[in-house]
Amino acid sequence: MAVLVAPLLFWGCPKNDPPARPRATVSTSTRPNTPAPPVAFNGERAMDHVKKQIDFGPRPPDTEQLAKTRAYITNELKSYGLTVSLDEFTAKTPQGEKKMANIVAEIPGETKTLILITSHYDTKFYKDMNFVGANDPAASVGTLLEIGRVLGSRKEKPKASYRLVFFDGEEAFCEGWGDCGDEKNPDNTYGSRHYVSQLRARNELESTRAMILLDMMGYKNLELGRDPTSTKWLQDIIWQTGRQLGYEKVFVDREEGVGGDDHEPFLGGGVAAVDIIQLTSYPHWHRADDTIDKVSAQSMKIVGETILASLPKVTEYVIKNNPQAPNPKTIQE
Ligand SMILES: [Zn+2]
């Protein structure tokens, strides 16, 4: 056998073979001509953000748990390449002064026209209930983070500038939304009211042309009705887009009676705004069983994909039509 092998080895190594091709062309890490596929909304990632928030425990304003949540959201946004800032303030509440902070991430566009995509990130305070808020608000925070990852991955600048805003202090400290406070100082929407005042102070309120609010949109039996206080054209774009994507059973026409949320201070400031919320048909609202088994990756994906597909249409609409919300009121600061 040895005698036969030797010539084969010799023949196998001819001296006149062409030189090997440069290795760079076969490397998998450097393929300049293969564009990476566009980053898509991933419902499982959004679900992971829900888990992480719940792991921190109940997260009312001015608690260590909400500070941890804030650090988590901030680090995630930075890891997507977004510029993040905090809008910090002190709010007078029925439980005394509370330190609060909205989290703001920028996706700069070709123009200063601003479109906000938002959610609150605090959970409602309960003295005697372990309220972890899987749908209210962990799912909308998880969805907004995943929207941020998709937008941050895009190389081309959008026509309008997008801003993701995570509001502190949406929930009332008292049991009901209107139980405490007065018209000038309501016991709710602390973060969104402060943010509108900041936009006004920085002369950015006029260039803020649309505000999209996600609040309780992760229920596994997702069905989104129309909030009658929302701006009609903005709601129509989102509902039509959702239906075009095949989600006609989710974006339905029944009225969803919300009656005020973080979009309200924006409407009052003359900004078109829409609330995407499932309140009346969510049986676990403000209950100890608003737990992770009630939300689904698919529901977050449905809303996330719909918002991402709606953004260019909303941008086109505001640039073309220059719409104003009817009867802007003066916001109490
Ligand atoms: Zn709530």
Side-chain angles (χ1 to χ4, degrees):
M1 292 296 283
V3 176
L4 283 172
V5 169
L8 280 173
L9 279 174
F10 178 76
W11 295 330
C13 311
K15 281 180 180 163
N16 297 328
D17 264 4
R21 289 184 179 192
R23 277 187 170 268
T25 56
V26 290
S27 162
T28 50
S29 60
T30 51
R31 282 184 181 165
N33 297 326
T34 316
V39 171
F41 189 100
N42 184 326
E44 296 302 330
R45 275 177 171 266
M47 198 57 152
D48 196 43
H49 296 315
V50 175
K51 282 191 197 115
K52 294 267 168 49
Q53 292 170 82
I54 290 175
D55 284 348
F56 293 131
R59 307 173 297 285
D62 208 352
T63 60
E64 197 192 322
Q65 291 74 18
L66 195 65
K68 283 182 186 165
T69 310
R70 183 156 54 242
Y72 175 75
I73 293 171
T74 303
N75 287 337
E76 284 297 311
L77 293 167
K78 284 182 179 169
S79 77
Y80 310 147
L82 306 180
T83 307
V84 186
S85 59
L86 291 183
D87 167 30
E88 295 174 293
F89 61 102
T90 303
K92 281 184 190 153
T93 79
Q95 291 183 9
E97 292 201 337
K98 298 278 180 190
K99 282 188 178 157
M100 298 191 186
N102 300 319
I103 308 163
V104 184
E106 304 276 348
I107 298 105
E110 286 173 3
T111 64
K112 285 193 170 170
T113 297
L114 259 181
I115 293 172
L116 310 181
I117 315 136
T118 67
S119 162
H120 76 90
Y121 73 101
D122 61 308
T123 56
K124 183 163 172 59
F125 166 80
Y126 285 102
K127 211 167 142 224
D128 302 313
M129 192 208 298
N130 185 48
F131 179 71
V132 296
N135 195 25
D136 183 16
S140 48
V141 170
T143 303
L144 194 51
L145 280 173
E146 190 51 10
I147 287 172
R149 187 180 71 91
V150 173
L151 293 176
S153 73
R154 294 181 178 166
K155 301 244 155 45
E156 249 182 51
K157 272 190 176 182
K159 284 211 173 67
S161 297
Y162 301 142
R163 203 175 271 181
L164 311 183
V165 190
F166 299 77
F167 299 120
D168 203 337
E170 185 268 348
E171 301 284 7
F173 285 86
C174 294
E175 181 72 27
W177 237 54
D179 290 356
C180 301
D182 52 46
E183 210 181 311
K184 267 193 170 180
N185 296 295
D187 172 34
N188 54 54
T189 61
Y190 294 95
S192 51
R193 285 184 291 120
H194 186 263
Y195 195 66
V196 169
S197 76
Q198 292 305 105
L199 287 172
R200 179 176 281 124
R202 291 198 304 254
N203 287 323
E204 286 182 328
L205 196 56
E206 273 198 9
S207 54
T208 306
R209 310 309 303 283
M211 185 274 197
I212 298 167
L213 173 62
L214 310 183
D215 190 6
M216 300 173 65
M217 36 47 64
Y219 188 26
K220 58 186 178 182
N221 304 318
L222 186 65
E223 190 194 83
L224 297 163
R226 289 175 181 258
D227 158 46
T229 68
S230 294
T231 306
K232 184 78 166 53
W233 67 261
L234 182 55
Q235 191 179 55
D236 282 347
I237 288 177
I238 294 170
W239 258 242
Q240 279 159 16
T241 304
R243 289 168 182 182
Q244 282 162 5
L245 291 174
Y247 307 134
E248 55 280 306
K249 283 187 181 152
V250 171
F251 291 90
V252 299
D253 281 328
R254 74 166 167 78
E255 196 172 284
E256 180 62 85
V258 179
D261 201 346
D262 278 326
H263 64 319
E264 207 173 50
F266 288 84
L267 289 169
V271 178
V274 61
D275 194 4
I276 297 169
I277 186 167
Q278 179 173 16
L279 179 61
T280 50
S281 58
Y282 184 60
H284 316 285
W285 176 62
H286 287 181
R287 288 176 42 163
D289 63 358
D290 182 6
T291 44
I292 196 144
D293 52 310
K294 310 305 183 307
V295 305
S296 82
Q298 176 64 9
S299 296
M300 292 186 276
K301 185 175 147 79
I302 287 170
V303 174
E305 278 182 351
T306 301
I307 298 304
L308 285 164
S310 299
L311 283 174
K313 301 181 196 176
V314 173
T315 305
E316 199 182 323
Y317 189 94
V318 295
I319 289 172
K320 225 185 200 171
N321 297 298
N322 206 20
Q324 289 289 324
N327 305 320
K329 293 178 286 188
T330 307
I331 289 284
Q332 313 288 343
E333 282 162 25

